[in-house]
Amino acid sequence: MAEIVIDRVQKSFGATLALASVSLAVADGEFVALLGPSGCGKTTLLRIVAGLETQDGGRVLIGGKDVSALPPRARGIAMVFQNYAVFPHMNVRANIGFGLRMAGAERARIARQVERTAALLHLEPLLERYPAQLSGGQRQRVAVARALAVEPQVLLMDEPLSNLDALLRLEMRAELKAILHEAGTTTLYVTHDQTEAMGLADRIAILQGGHIVQTDRPAILYRRPATRFVGGFIGSPPMNFLATEASGGHVGLGALRFACPRANGPVLLGLRPEDATISESGMGFELAVIEPMGSHALLTGRVDGQMMRVVAPPDLAARPGDLLHLRPDPARVVWMDATTGEAINA
Amino acid sequence: MRSRTLPYLLIAPASLLLAVLFLWPLVQTAFLAFRAPGPLGVDVWSLAHVRRMVSDFDFHTALFNTLGLVVVVVPLQFILALTMASMLRHIRAGRSLVLWIWSIPLGISDLAAGLVWLAILSERGYLNTVLHAVGIISGPRSWLTYETPGVLFAAIVATELWRATAIVLVILVAGLDMIPREYAEAAEVFGATPWQRFRRITLPLLRPSIQTALILRTVLAFEMFATVIAIGGRNFPVLASKAYNWQYFDQNTGVAAAYALVIMGAAIGATLVYLRLLRSPEQAR
Ligand SMILES: Nc1ncnc2c1ncn2[C@@H]1O[C@H](COP(=O)(O)OP(=O)(O)O)[C@@H](O)[C@H]1O
Ligand SMILES: [Mg+2]
């Protein structure tokens, strides 16, 4: 049993507040992605869990034990560093085997594990090379292999695929997911790439400015963002937000009327680009740009003077300047408070 | 084309200056050592000065003393400096102040340093005053005589440790500061104990600085002169003081030059050994 519990952890660097009061639980064998824009405190939180940084307040528990006062080597973790930290004076083989050597594993087991993880990360031809002779992406794979080789109970990864080219990243993503799932490794995975988080994680925690704003399964995060920020950060293209005014529990947009959980006052209507269909009637959409993406066409235009993006069938016959009509799926519409940006629940 | 020759053009003045001011005296020294007046009154190639040096009554003592000092002082200084540098890494506030204080002896000339320790260890020096005050000795007592070469040796070692450990320290501190923290952190996450981190990560990454420090320190130790003169005088001959004596008391530049060549040969030999033993594999940067 190796669950991670982060309990009201705080951290400041001088006047910079890095983590306000962060709580997060990762169940045994679960894969949680910590997702947020650059500088929001992801690395800081991961380093606190690893014991490389000391929190100003709060506790970290691993496997039910408070490890807040323990040094990193006593926490039973493995980690992939954002800047790789692959040892420059050791070749790839020695780097991958480092953790097992420190644990005093037998030679045969080390050799076996090194071969196995090297194969997993396509590093076999590079085993005798030194880091200076590797590309950034190759070094990053060595860092991942070094962490996987020890078969950890708890794995912390800080943007481990950020430096791979798109194709390799996709492949590694799938393999990583399969390996970690099979091994039942408890994983906390830091990334700023929402597709990566969506694809890999059992649950995603969204970190913004040192706060966790929402933690949930990817599908729910996508459907029911807790804040405007989450709706805009998850999904590509992001969720559309239209500023409107509710009156008598309804909102009118173009020719359409929507039931709104807020009776009166300014609200934001949130709508995913794929949740509106183009039809004969509905709200008016002045098409400005059309981008053919192969599987679909991405339309950018204006509704009531506000920018909006919509996904349309690839064979849509329309031109910039045309006036189209949209019919949003009322079940998919979300509502946000216009000032706080937080979801209004019915 | 131009970009290839330009670097050489730019380093040419410095190389030339070094050659003139360094290599030329070297060649001259060799001439002085290996040329002696021949039967016709003109200088010819000869081993006369070298023979004279080797048959000098305390040549072997000087050689032995010099080597002894190098073998004892350099490793001690290295271990001391490495320990001090590692301790400095754990200090946050006041680090530069501590480093500054530790480096003060560097600002003192080696002769002055020798005299400081002479003042401590001489017959009526501070040490005897203290020993007398606490009743260990009853009257003035000489520590530094030709009858006590062991004490002389120890006093010179102490002086050198006090005076010149800081030069090794400064080089090692600069080297340690250049090693990114992340390597030690990664090692720690993967289970390395503090000793393993030092042994497996810090030491290998520090190798270039260690090499520089050891070469510099060893070469200087072979040339040790002023501290030895101040404390041991003629009672503790070393190669450099022998060269000095032959030049100024015996007025024999040839033998002095032969001594100088022995010192230089030893320094070059030590440098080559360090370069070979402590080289980093090329692929590992
Ligand atoms: N060692 C440090 N000293 C001072 N400020 C830091 C330090 N580490 C991180 N920060 C600050 O804390 C905030 C969070 O940083 P970080 O956790 O690295 O963000 P992320 O990994 O999400 O990009 C940033 O504003 C960053 O500038
Ligand atoms: Mg980061």
Side-chain angles (χ1 to χ4, degrees):
Chain A
M1 279 301 164
E3 76 277 6
I4 307 170
V5 176
I6 299 165
D7 181 23
R8 284 164 297 169
V9 162
Q10 300 167 15
K11 179 74 185 177
S12 302
F13 294 104
T16 317
L17 179 74
L19 298 171
S21 173
V22 171
S23 295
L24 176 68
V26 185
D28 184 47
E30 193 184 21
F31 192 125
V32 170
L34 204 54
L35 175 65
S38 174
C40 70
K42 305 181 297 290
T43 297
T44 305
L45 185 58
L46 207 67
R47 287 172 57 85
I48 287 174
V49 174
L52 295 169
E53 207 84 67
T54 318
Q55 65 268 36
D56 298 336
R59 306 180 301 159
V60 175
L61 290 85
I62 295 177
K65 191 167 114 196
D66 189 344
V67 296
S68 303
L70 294 183
R73 67 173 186 283
R75 296 191 177 197
I77 50 163
M79 183 165 173
V80 180
F81 288 78
Q82 180 164 18
N83 41 14
Y84 327 139
V86 170
F87 305 125
H89 59 294
M90 297 180 197
N91 64 14
V92 172
R93 185 186 297 280
N95 262 290
I96 299 179
F98 185 81
L100 288 168
R101 278 212 310 284
M102 291 302 109
E106 318 160 21
R107 259 158 203 268
R109 166 139 186 270
I110 298 175
R112 211 168 47 238
Q113 278 296 95
V114 169
E115 295 293 336
R116 207 177 68 91
T117 34
L120 227 48
L121 288 141
H122 308 315
L123 288 168
E124 300 116 308
L126 308 176
L127 278 175
E128 308 309 325
R129 292 224 201 150
Y130 282 84
Q133 302 166 302
L134 301 177
S135 73
Q138 289 168 334
R139 274 183 232 183
Q140 197 160 35
R141 270 144 62 202
V142 175
V144 175
R146 180 174 64 181
L148 291 181
V150 297
E151 299 187 310
Q153 294 266 304
V154 172
L155 179 57
L156 309 174
M157 294 202 258
D158 198 350
E159 317 229 3
L161 305 181
S162 60
N163 230 317
L164 306 187
D165 56 63
L167 212 59
L168 193 58
R169 180 155 53 205
L170 212 61
E171 190 183 332
M172 288 287 140
R173 209 153 83 190
E175 289 186 10
L176 213 52
K177 186 168 183 169
I179 299 161
L180 295 176
H181 187 264
E182 193 187 335
T185 310
T186 309
T187 308
L188 190 54
Y189 184 104
V190 162
T191 177
H192 67 266
D193 178 347
Q194 52 98 15
T195 41
E196 205 169 282
M198 297 283 281
L200 279 169
D202 298 323
R203 286 190 304 142
I204 300 176
I206 309 269
L207 199 57
Q208 180 198 10
H211 294 267
I212 289 190
V213 287
Q214 191 174 9
T215 309
D216 228 317
R217 297 208 316 275
I220 296 184
L221 227 50
Y222 188 78
R223 277 276 158 265
R224 298 271 153 224
T227 68
R228 177 182 183 159
F229 170 79
V230 176
F233 196 69
I234 296 245
S236 172
M239 190 175 240
N240 296 295
F241 289 100
L242 301 174
T244 69
E245 192 81 19
S247 71
H250 281 84
V251 160
L253 262 181
L256 297 179
R257 267 163 69 82
F258 298 90
C260 171
R262 166 114 5 128
N264 294 298
V267 289
L268 292 174
L269 179 151
L271 185 69
R272 290 281 174 201
E274 67 275 20
D275 289 340
T277 44
I278 295 163
S279 67
E280 293 302 306
S281 63
M283 58 190 197
F285 177 79
E286 302 161 40
L287 181 59
V289 178
I290 176 161
E291 297 169 66
M293 310 298 286
S295 64
H296 60 271
L298 183 60
L299 313 185
T300 307
R302 289 180 176 281
V303 168
D304 267 3
Q306 301 181 58
M307 214 261 282
M308 182 160 171
R309 289 204 188 84
V310 191
V311 168
D315 54 356
L316 180 79
R319 274 190 223 164
D322 288 357
L323 182 68
L324 307 177
H325 291 88
L326 298 180
R327 244 174 214 292
D329 179 349
R332 294 281 169 96
V333 167
V334 298
W335 299 96
M336 307 273 168
D337 187 290
T339 45
T340 64
E342 283 171 19
I344 305 166
N345 292 313
Chain B
M1 186 60 202
R2 208 183 111 216
S3 64
R4 270 221 201 140
T5 49
L6 190 62
Y8 294 100
L9 281 177
L10 289 178
I11 59 168
S15 313
L16 236 111
L17 200 70
L18 274 177
V20 170
L21 294 181
F22 204 80
L23 277 181
W24 180 238
L26 217 78
V27 170
Q28 266 192 324
T29 311
F31 262 80
L32 286 172
F34 291 116
R35 287 181 78 88
L40 300 174
V42 279
D43 282 2
V44 292
W45 291 108
S46 142
L47 286 175
H49 298 309
V50 177
R51 257 187 242 117
R52 184 120 188 238
M53 170 182 76
V54 175
S55 58
D56 195 359
F57 75 100
D58 54 3
F59 169 73
H60 289 102
T61 318
L63 192 63
F64 181 80
N65 284 346
T66 308
L67 284 178
L69 281 176
V70 170
V71 166
V72 171
V73 167
V74 174
L76 273 181
Q77 277 185 332
F78 175 66
I79 291 168
L80 216 60
L82 196 57
T83 312
M84 290 158 87
S86 305
M87 291 193 311
L88 267 185
R89 282 219 114 186
H90 297 282
I91 299 183
R92 291 257 168 83
R95 186 170 170 274
S96 24
L97 181 69
V98 175
L99 188 60
W100 189 78
I101 291 173
W102 283 357
S103 318
I104 288 178
L106 272 188
I108 298 171
S109 82
D110 42 2
L111 184 60
L115 292 175
V116 166
W117 282 78
L118 188 65
I120 295 173
L121 298 170
S122 67
E123 219 165 308
R124 296 180 184 281
Y126 297 112
L127 179 69
N128 281 351
T129 310
V130 172
L131 291 181
H132 183 68
V134 299
I136 293 180
I137 55 172
S138 52
R141 194 168 154 185
S142 308
W143 298 106
L144 307 172
T145 70
Y146 70 97
E147 288 165 329
T148 54
V151 180
L152 280 177
F153 184 82
I156 293 167
V157 167
T159 309
E160 274 302 298
L161 288 186
W162 177 77
R163 186 186 74 82
T165 302
I167 184 76
V168 184
L169 175 71
V170 168
I171 295 173
L172 293 185
V173 165
L176 280 174
D177 283 349
M178 272 183 357
I179 304 175
R181 266 208 137 69
E182 62 199 58
Y183 298 128
E185 287 183 348
E188 192 172 6
V189 162
F190 286 101
T193 60
W195 170 248
Q196 283 172 319
R197 288 203 300 275
F198 180 74
R199 178 68 200 75
R200 305 269 198 152
I201 309 295
T202 310
L203 268 191
L205 291 178
L206 195 59
R207 186 152 36 189
S209 305
I210 292 176
Q211 197 181 52
T212 308
L214 283 181
I215 289 176
L216 191 66
R217 220 11 255 165
T218 308
V219 168
L220 290 177
F222 274 118
E223 295 167 357
M224 217 181 281
F225 175 63
T227 38
V228 177
I229 287 287
I231 291 178
R234 281 200 175 210
N235 294 332
F236 194 85
V238 290
L239 292 175
S241 63
K242 289 299 293 178
Y244 175 81
N245 289 343
W246 276 99
Q247 172 69 23
Y248 289 99
F249 295 106
D250 304 299
Q251 306 278 321
N252 192 328
T253 307
V255 180
Y259 270 106
L261 283 184
V262 172
I263 295 174
M264 194 187 68
I268 290 177
T271 303
L272 290 178
V273 168
Y274 286 135
L275 285 178
R276 172 129 195 99
L277 282 185
L278 292 172
R279 74 185 186 286
S280 309
E282 202 172 311
Q283 328 86 293
R285 252 181 282 167

